Amino acid sequence: LLLLDEPLSALDAAHRQQVSQYVSDVIREFAIPALLVSHDVEGTLAEADAVLRLRQGRPVAEGEELYR
């Protein structure tokens, strides 16, 4: 399991893309699951297979509910 806590938060756009691609490649190559924590909702929705929104440690929305 690959655990990532805000891996793209302090990067400029070019490095953000580079790191994002690297992480995707590692996940695919080694066939491992990954859990990514992020405050970037739009970026996460574009890249993730599944998304769960938490508020104070409790689930409040997932999947299609995130768009409402």
Side-chain angles (χ1 to χ4, degrees):
L1 174 63
L2 181 61
L3 300 173
L4 302 160
D5 184 13
E6 296 281 350
L8 308 176
S9 65
L11 303 176
D12 61 28
H15 287 103
R16 185 177 297 213
Q17 175 62 33
Q18 187 178 25
V19 170
S20 181
Q21 185 61 54
Y22 177 76
V23 170
S24 294
D25 292 346
V26 168
I27 291 167
R28 231 178 282 111
E29 181 179 342
F30 295 101
I32 57 174
L35 175 65
L36 182 135
V37 175
S38 178
H39 289 92
D40 178 14
V41 176
E42 295 302 318
T44 302
L45 289 172
E47 296 291 326
D49 294 329
V51 177
L52 176 66
R53 181 180 289 173
L54 301 175
R55 182 176 294 126
Q56 296 180 341
R58 297 182 189 268
V60 295
E62 63 181 294
E64 295 297 319
E65 296 172 5
L66 293 168
Y67 294 105
R68 294 183 214 155

